[in-house]
Amino acid sequence: MLIDLITAFPGSFSGIFGESMLRRAQEKGLLQLRITDLRDFSRDKHRRVDDAPYGGGAGMVMRAEPFFLAVEALAVAKDDPGTRIILLSPGGKIFNQRKAQELSTLNHLVLLCGHYEGIDERVALYLAQERISIGDYVLTGGEIAAMVIVDAVTRLLPGLLSGPSLEEESFTDGMLEYPQYTRPYNFRGMLVPDVLLSGNHAEIKKWRRRQALEQTKLYRPDLVNGRGNTPLAKENNLGRSEE
Ligand code: ADE
């Protein structure tokens, strides 16, 4: 997969992309990250990429032209179904594991990072194919949101992680993950649940499913009551009845 990041702050990405799983994915040839400095596409002699908002108001707005020029220079195959141009914005659709899975099947993502008070709406209307937010809060820019997406998508790329750990993780079946323990059995008087040492795999499986459900009811009741029709919710008669 090729991921293009278009940003006025290219330095934000140094560090995170050179560590751990993201580094491994690039070394294995599963992922190519390409960072484009939006300021290289400013015609302004001070390399500015923002301007005052039409209609007045506080703050600055990022201009449309540098984004269009940057995408054009990258020769993005817009009509290719394997390509997706995404604008990161707090006004977008909320990112989740399902979206990460969908994006992980594509071969070229172009992530447009905004800053300042906003981005000229023509970027969202005529350049981006999708607008994504990583949550209901406002960041200083889209760079951290882009990193979140790169990270969540990369770990799903075939060949990076092995199957079972992906299948059992949080959200994959609409539930949070069950609690995990490792040695020692007794840490400062805090013990590991005995069932995990029993060797009884059927009991362990049952315990884990019960725990996953309990954790989800406690921390994310919206997952159990809202969308509802997850395999675990159905198994426990918590799913919404189908109309
Ligand atoms: N830019 C600023 N806030 C954001 C958010 N919550 N998600 C994506 N991009 C953003």
Side-chain angles (χ1 to χ4, degrees), residues 170-183:
S170 297
F171 304 116
T172 300
D173 63 358
M175 291 275 156
L176 301 186
E177 209 170 335
Y178 51 78
Q180 296 271 31
Y181 295 87
T182 187
R183 284 182 288 189

Side-chain angles (χ1 to χ4, degrees), residues 10-72:
S12 329
F13 296 98
S14 61
I16 190 97
F17 287 168
E19 299 284 344
S20 182
M21 201 101 83
L22 292 178
R23 178 160 125 200
R24 201 138 56 83
Q26 291 170 89
E27 284 169 356
K28 280 184 129 185
L30 300 170
L31 174 70
Q32 187 191 346
L33 293 167
R34 199 162 56 171
I35 297 171
T36 296
D37 188 343
L38 197 60
R39 293 178 203 279
D40 291 345
F41 297 92
S42 165
R43 292 185 205 262
D44 181 283
K45 71 170 186 286
H46 302 295
R47 290 166 51 87
R48 283 173 44 170
V49 290
D50 60 335
D51 207 337
Y54 271 119
M60 299 293 270
V61 175
M62 291 186 87
R63 293 168 44 238
E65 186 185 55
F67 282 104
F68 277 76
L69 290 176
V71 170
E72 282 153 18

Side-chain angles (χ1 to χ4, degrees), residues 87-92 114-115 132-143 145-146:
L87 173 64
L88 284 321
S89 149
H115 244 267
I132 292 182
S133 163
I134 61 158
D136 287 337
Y137 38 77
V138 181
L139 302 167
T140 54
E143 284 75 12

